[in-house]
Amino acid sequence: MQKLGAVRRALEAGELDGGMDRLLYGDLTAARRRVAALLDGFRQTFDAGEDTPVVLCSAPGRTEICGNHTDHQHGRVLAGAVDLDFLACAAPNGTNTIRFQSQGWPLAEVELDTLEPKEEEKGSTASLVRGMAAQAVEKGYPVAGFDVYAQSDVLPGSGLSSSAACEVLLGVIENHLFCGGALDPVTIARMGQKAENVYFGKASGLMDQTASSVGGVVAIDFAEPSAPMVRPLRVDLDALGYALCIIDSGADHADLTPEYDAIPREMREVAACFGKTVLREVEEADVLRELPRLRKAVGDRAVLRALHFFADDRRVEEETAALAGGDMDAFLSLVKASGRSSWTLLQNIAPTGAVKEQAMAVALAVAERALKGRGACRVHGGGFAGTIQAFVPLELLDGFREQVESVLGTGSCHVLRLRPVGGVVLWS
């Protein structure tokens, strides 16, 4: 670790430029200002001196490319890290308390005298801090108190998974400060999932954390969740002539946890009809053959969601092959098919019973019209609210963004890049 003052001097001398460029920070002048503000925030928040040894760490948001609600059924997904991240300055504080300050949010303080989940912390940043520390301790590492000042440009409620980025960030910090770098990216991802499931109290698969932790574009097979198979892909959308856009529908995820939780629950209900735990253990042919019985046992929506799982799980392999071969026509056709399946079978475009307000459906209709029969768009992430995803031909990008924002509001269309690295120590 280097002292705070030394890091500041290295920043001013341009010694961090290579690392920031690797993380696709773009305008290096703006990136230097961001890091300088981060160092100032750390110093002011924790009354740190210039001789305080610190580490700079980053963890990216992620975009789901294919495999909508397949990971929690031990299925396959295609995902990528994006050029928005959680950036943090951290240092041991010599106490038994972790202090986590995310810019613009209340300070989270977690005492390490107890590492069990706390009911009163569920849904809070403190629960993620406790959950990540607890698991590092369970693995035999001597986690002690440390201070973190973080700044995030991962859009909240965007389906880019700011929570997973936060979990991976904490894992990277603890790995560096206390674990001697022994935790690999997939292990950190699994720690993040448990922190979110058990400590935060939100059901989720492992895709978000894996994509953020590993980085780049990855095809992930969760047939064995304790040891997922991760296949990195080389994907350069610019070279293929397309931009990745994430479009804010204008609706947020507040109070939608029951909608999200119903999807894995209903899929598991179908699996249980065959004596199995998840749909990956069930044959699609058996589901089709038993449709009359299943409809009576679990209801039509659960059956339709199961059919979506089988179709989107299979599409992951097809989209992976198309991207690996640079076949954008095949890839875009599959993106459209995935979007239709999410709408008609998975049914995660509008909350149950919503009639007057259907922001996701409107966003999809606006984006499809703006694409003029080219590119592709689909729901992004969990659905029901938040964002959609579009692959836009570069020559249409300016007009596409203008048309979308004329309806959904200025700043609603975010043009992102696929970041080649995941959770990482930027400077130590």
Side-chain angles (χ1 to χ4, degrees):
M1 297 172 68
Q2 288 199 10
K3 296 178 179 179
L4 181 62
V7 176
R8 194 186 306 279
R9 290 189 293 274
L11 174 67
E12 293 169 353
E15 294 176 32
L16 275 68
D17 288 0
M20 294 189 296
D21 190 55
R22 184 167 171 246
L23 302 186
L24 303 184
Y25 277 4
D27 182 348
L28 287 177
T29 300
R32 291 189 201 108
R33 286 198 298 266
R34 183 187 180 199
V35 175
L38 186 83
L39 298 176
D40 288 341
F42 179 88
R43 178 179 56 79
Q44 294 165 8
T45 300
F46 301 113
D47 193 26
E50 292 292 284
D51 60 349
T52 302
V54 298
V55 59
L56 298 183
C57 299
S58 165
R62 70 96 184 102
T63 182
E64 168 204 289
I65 299 171
C66 189
N68 198 209
H69 284 281
T70 55
D71 57 336
H72 50 66
Q73 297 302 298
H74 298 188
R76 292 168 286 193
V77 299
L78 183 62
V82 298
D83 60 342
L84 300 177
D85 71 344
F86 249 106
L87 179 66
C89 178
N93 60 25
T95 73
N96 199 40
T97 300
I98 299 173
R99 298 187 294 179
F100 187 95
Q101 176 67 71
S102 184
Q103 183 182 24
W105 295 87
L107 175 71
E109 293 189 79
V110 172
E111 294 184 4
L112 299 176
D113 54 343
T114 175
L115 296 174
E116 297 300 315
K118 290 190 173 185
E119 191 64 31
E120 64 271 23
E121 283 182 351
K122 286 195 172 178
S124 71
T125 300
S127 68
L128 300 180
V129 173
R130 189 180 304 279
M132 293 301 292
Q135 291 173 81
V137 171
E138 287 174 8
K139 295 180 185 300
Y141 298 105
V143 176
F146 59 95
D147 294 330
V148 182
Y149 186 87
Q151 190 277 332
S152 174
D153 57 10
V154 182
L155 311 168
S158 64
L160 296 173
S161 202
S162 58
S163 59
C166 182
E167 293 149 17
V168 171
L169 179 75
L170 286 162
V172 170
I173 293 170
E174 291 165 3
N175 194 27
H176 184 78
L177 295 183
F178 308 108
C179 308
L183 303 177
D184 63 81
V186 173
T187 297
I188 291 174
R190 289 170 58 200
M191 291 167 60
Q193 183 199 22
K194 184 175 180 180
E196 189 154 331
N197 291 173
V198 178
Y199 286 78
F200 189 85
K202 179 181 178 182
S204 72
L206 189 54
M207 174 185 66
D208 296 353
Q209 294 83 1
T210 304
S212 175
S213 191
V214 174
V217 175
V218 286
I220 315 167
D221 189 333
F222 292 113
E224 179 47 65
S226 63
M229 294 178 61
V230 180
R231 176 189 170 192
L233 298 177
R234 286 181 174 270
V235 179
D236 186 342
L237 284 178
D238 285 342
L240 292 168
Y242 286 84
L244 167 65
C245 295
I246 299 298
I247 300 156
D248 188 351
S249 70
D252 64 40
H253 292 84
D255 302 321
L256 288 174
T257 297
E259 295 281 3
Y260 299 122
D261 289 348
I263 293 177
R265 185 187 72 246
E266 292 180 9
M267 288 183 176
R268 289 191 174 99
E269 288 172 356
V270 175
C273 291
F274 298 92
K276 305 297 184 182
T277 304
V278 293
L279 286 174
R280 184 65 180 270
E281 300 170 341
V282 179
E283 294 294 330
E284 181 179 17
D286 292 339
V287 172
L288 294 171
R289 186 181 61 253
E290 296 291 330
L291 276 180
R293 177 176 71 89
L294 293 172
R295 293 179 66 190
K296 293 178 181 178
V298 298
D300 286 348
R301 189 174 72 172
V303 170
L304 292 171
R305 285 174 164 172
L307 295 179
H308 163 82
F309 165 79
F310 292 116
D312 231 36
D313 182 63
R314 187 164 51 246
R315 265 189 292 268
V316 168
E317 287 294 293
E318 296 168 349
E319 283 196 25
T320 299
L323 272 183
D327 188 345
M328 284 302 290
D329 288 341
F331 170 74
L332 295 170
S333 177
L334 290 161
V335 170
K336 293 176 184 177
S338 178
R340 287 193 297 270
S341 181
S342 291
W343 198 325
T344 61
L345 300 179
L346 186 60
Q347 300 180 39
N348 66 337
I349 302 302
T352 304
V355 176
K356 186 175 181 180
E357 296 183 1
Q358 297 189 19
M360 294 281 283
V362 171
L364 286 165
V366 170
E368 188 170 328
R369 184 175 293 271
L371 284 169
K372 302 177 181 179
R374 301 176 61 190
C377 61
R378 64 188 285 270
V379 61
H380 184 245
F384 301 110
T387 58
I388 67 169
Q389 177 189 74
F391 294 92
V392 184
L394 292 176
E395 63 269 23
L396 296 183
L397 182 58
D398 290 342
F400 175 86
R401 177 187 251 172
E402 181 179 355
Q403 189 169 338
V404 165
E405 294 191 347
S406 70
V407 177
L408 302 179
T410 302
S412 58
C413 182
H414 305 275
V415 182
L416 305 183
R417 298 176 67 193
L418 295 169
R419 169 169 145 163
V421 294
V424 67
V425 173
L426 174 61
W427 188 263
S428 173

